[in-house]
Structures are given as structure tokens and as C-alpha cells.
Amino acid sequence: MIRDAELIKVPLVLLDSADWQAIKHQLVSQQLLFKEAKEAFLLLNTPEQRYQYLLEQKPHWLEQLSLNEVAMYLGISAISLSRIRRRLNLS
């Protein structure tokens, strides 16, 4: 599904200038926090727990993404996701 979005292009060379250092720092910090949270999510939860999290917290993702995309996000195969869904009687 394609959705409307606003795209802001910023040449990467701008991020090297002194005026943009605070923004660059914020962007890098935000990205590191996101990556750390996703790594913890994948390492500390079983695939079924990860899927249940999406059911409870991100149902709009499940409506908009294909099962293959959801499986990739969860770090499992589409077959494993199908089995989880069947166990949870959601298929």
C-alpha cells in the first residue's frame, strides 16, 4: 500500500556544517536508540511474543503489511509466522 508522505531532502554535506551539528547529533541518537530497542525486542522475546506485541501495539502495521513483510520484521520465516497465527487462531 502506498501512502501520502512529505519528503524533505537534505544534502548530507549540510550535516557537516557547524549549524547542523545539533540536528545531526539528534538524528544519530534517535537512530541508535531505535536500533537498540529493536535488537532488545528481537533478543528478549520469542517469535510468538513479538507477534503478540504487534497485535496489541501495532495492529495498523498488520493491516498494511504483507505476511512476508511482517515475518521479515519479526526475524522469522513466513512459514513460522503462519504457524504462530494458526496457534493463536488468527489466520
Side-chain angles (χ1 to χ4, degrees), residues 17-36:
S17 72
D19 294 341
W20 286 73
Q21 289 305 300
I23 293 171
K24 180 180 179 179
H25 178 69
Q26 276 185 307
L27 289 170
V28 170
S29 294
Q30 183 179 14
Q31 188 64 27
L32 288 173
L33 289 172
F34 175 80
K35 286 180 178 270
E36 184 179 83

Side-chain angles (χ1 to χ4, degrees), residues 9-22:
K9 290 175 64 172
V10 177
L12 290 177
V13 71
L14 280 181
L15 296 177
D16 290 332
S17 72
D19 294 341
W20 286 73
Q21 289 305 300

Side-chain angles (χ1 to χ4, degrees), residues 25-91:
H25 178 69
Q26 276 185 307
L27 289 170
V28 170
S29 294
Q30 183 179 14
Q31 188 64 27
L32 288 173
L33 289 172
F34 175 80
K35 286 180 178 270
E36 184 179 83
K38 173 124 189 248
E39 185 174 350
F41 173 73
L42 292 171
L43 292 173
L44 300 174
N45 296 289
T46 66
E48 189 167 319
Q49 289 170 325
R50 291 180 230 152
Y51 183 68
Q52 286 182 318
Y53 171 83
L54 292 182
L55 285 172
E56 295 165 7
Q57 303 296 323
K58 308 279 186 189
H60 56 286
W61 286 14
L62 298 176
E63 293 170 6
Q64 296 174 6
L65 298 173
S66 71
L67 290 179
N68 282 333
E69 291 168 324
V70 172
M72 284 191 295
Y73 178 79
L74 296 174
I76 60 176
S77 69
I79 293 170
S80 294
L81 177 57
S82 181
R83 290 178 182 148
I84 290 169
R85 288 171 44 89
R86 193 172 348 158
R87 270 197 309 272
L88 296 174
N89 295 321
L90 296 174
S91 50

